[in-house]
Amino acid sequence: MDRYDVDSRDLLGKVVWSSLILGKIVRFVSNPLIFVPIILVPLAIILIANLVKTVSYARKIAKDEEEAAVKEAIQYIREKNLRETGDTTESNENSERKSE
């Protein structure tokens, strides 16, 4: 709605479609007393719920990655100990052969 009168020759375009009900809904929802509880509160709840879900999912991923890293480190240490034990056993056998 214009604050001043507009001459029809100064208008561009044409009305293609209008909806009285849609206009009433837009005016109703644009009222701050309606907008906050009907739009913003549910939106805030959805955002907080998604944030909580994302944080818990990130924690689960971090825990899984940490467990995998620990398993890999344990496997590496076992293999290293086996190699060292195997080398020691071979060294002992060579020493026994030399002393004979």
Side-chain angles (χ1 to χ4, degrees):
M1 183 171 192
D2 294 325
R3 293 184 177 176
Y4 49 88
D5 290 333
V6 178
D7 192 37
S8 63
R9 64 176 179 234
D10 294 331
L11 296 176
L12 296 175
K14 65 179 181 176
V15 176
V16 177
W17 181 76
S18 68
S19 171
L20 182 62
I21 295 172
L22 186 60
K24 287 184 179 187
I25 291 171
V26 168
R27 273 186 272 137
F28 179 72
V29 173
S30 65
N31 182 348
L33 295 175
I34 303 299
F35 183 76
V36 171
I38 291 181
I39 304 295
L40 290 184
V41 171
L43 180 63
I45 291 170
I46 291 169
L47 290 175
I48 290 170
N50 282 337
L51 181 64
V52 168
K53 190 183 295 186
T54 301
V55 168
S56 67
Y57 187 64
R59 284 183 181 163
K60 182 186 179 301
I61 290 173
K63 181 182 175 187
D64 292 346
E65 287 177 352
E66 185 178 350
E67 287 175 359
V70 168
K71 287 179 183 178
E72 185 178 325
I74 289 171
Q75 182 66 28
Y76 174 77
I77 291 170
R78 284 182 181 158
E79 289 174 2
K80 184 178 176 184
N81 286 341
L82 285 174
R83 280 184 297 217
E84 289 176 356
T85 305
D87 291 344
T88 305
T89 305
E90 289 176 11
S91 298
N92 289 341
E93 289 175 2
N94 289 338
S95 298
E96 288 176 8
R97 286 183 194 157
K98 287 180 182 177
S99 62
E100 293 177 354

